[in-house]
Amino acid sequence: MKVTLAALLSDAWAMFRRDADLLLRVAGLFFFLPTYALLLLVGPLPMPDAEIVDTTARAQAWMTALDAWVGDYGLGSVGAYAITYFGLAVVFCLFLSPERPTVGEAARRAGLTFPRFILAMVVVSIPAGAGMYILLLPGLWLMSRFMLAGPILFAEAPTGAMAAVGRSWRMTRRGQFSLLGAIVTVYLAAILAGQPFMLLSRWLGGDGSANPIGVAIVEAFAAGVAMLTQLAGALIAVAAYRRLRQAGAAR
């Protein structure tokens, strides 16, 4: 079975069309609401103040601002991201369990596997995040190589977190450019569709002329874009796992 960008996108779209009602209800609860809460209630992450000339003083001021931000928003942010990852686990469980479970059964199984799933996601995010910080494309390539860690945990249970990460690396040797293309497509779609809403939100919330109702509406659209891109990434990962598993079995 071929692993091409067109095939991955086609498979993901077919899954969405078939189960759109179910997927949108799951995504609305686990993807949209946490993201919307973060946009509405969490302040922007502090950045170093370029106006402070002294390097040491700038670093100290930044660390102080970060400490204050973590104290105000850290726990809520962690909780929101945990809910989002749990929703991702539910989607993987729905589509990759040996027998198709109900949403309740998928949530129960996701809860049992969630510690290993979170550990795998943390392990994956360290090199991928570092790669994206240094240079965007290497980070996206690492994301494409580790994208099957989550699906493997649910399709091949019981599997350990590190074993899933390693197996993802081995499985994705085949079709690397197609997987990278899928990750880049989702990333660019998120940027192009979501950035205008974020810019409009900043403008509506400007100093002295804040429009809270307008900000809430615009950020709801931004959260909707984030929800759809998160769902698209999950379905593409499912499609990639299925195709690569069948391709490996056929060899």
Side-chain angles (χ1 to χ4, degrees):
M1 178 174 285
K2 292 184 178 180
V3 182
T4 64
L5 174 59
L8 293 174
L9 296 179
S10 177
D11 288 354
W13 176 244
M15 284 186 279
F16 178 78
R17 288 187 61 186
R18 187 182 65 234
D19 296 303
D21 181 62
L22 172 64
L23 285 169
L24 289 176
R25 283 186 281 130
V26 171
L29 178 61
F30 292 110
F31 297 162
F32 176 82
L33 289 180
T35 303
Y36 193 37
L38 286 175
L39 291 174
L40 284 179
L41 304 176
V42 175
L45 190 68
M47 300 301 293
D49 189 349
E51 295 182 359
I52 301 177
V53 178
D54 183 74
T55 304
T56 303
R58 182 166 64 246
Q60 289 177 343
W62 183 36
M63 292 305 298
T64 300
L66 281 175
D67 286 341
W69 186 91
V70 170
D72 291 338
Y73 305 116
L75 185 60
S77 298
V78 170
Y81 283 113
I83 293 170
T84 298
Y85 277 115
F86 185 80
L88 190 60
V90 170
V91 172
F92 288 151
C93 193
L94 282 170
F95 284 92
L96 292 171
S97 294
E99 68 281 355
R100 180 67 181 265
T102 64
V103 175
E105 292 170 343
R108 181 182 60 81
R109 295 180 189 177
L112 294 174
T113 312
F114 196 60
R116 280 177 286 160
F117 180 71
I118 282 292
L119 177 58
M121 295 301 99
V122 170
V123 170
V124 165
S125 67
I126 293 173
M132 292 190 69
Y133 180 79
I134 296 170
L135 193 61
L136 180 62
L137 191 57
L140 293 174
W141 176 74
L142 287 171
M143 288 176 62
S144 71
R145 295 301 305 272
F146 292 126
M147 70 186 295
L148 301 187
I152 287 168
L153 283 170
F154 294 96
E156 302 178 12
T159 302
M162 298 305 298
V165 172
R167 177 154 166 72
S168 175
W169 183 265
R170 294 189 297 273
M171 286 184 69
T172 53
R173 287 178 183 150
R174 183 186 180 95
Q176 290 184 38
F177 289 109
S178 297
L179 297 174
L180 177 59
I183 291 291
V184 170
T185 299
V186 173
Y187 180 83
L188 290 179
I191 295 296
L192 294 175
Q195 195 64 21
F197 295 114
M198 299 304 297
L199 293 174
L200 182 57
S201 174
R202 292 195 192 102
W203 180 73
L204 290 172
D207 295 337
S209 58
N211 184 343
I213 296 177
V215 169
I217 293 173
V218 170
E219 290 190 343
F221 281 102
V225 170
M227 176 193 76
L228 292 175
T229 53
Q230 288 165 342
L231 183 57
L235 294 178
I236 287 172
V238 171
Y241 173 80
R242 287 175 172 173
R243 284 187 169 267
L244 287 169
R245 183 186 59 184
Q246 293 180 13
R251 294 177 63 182

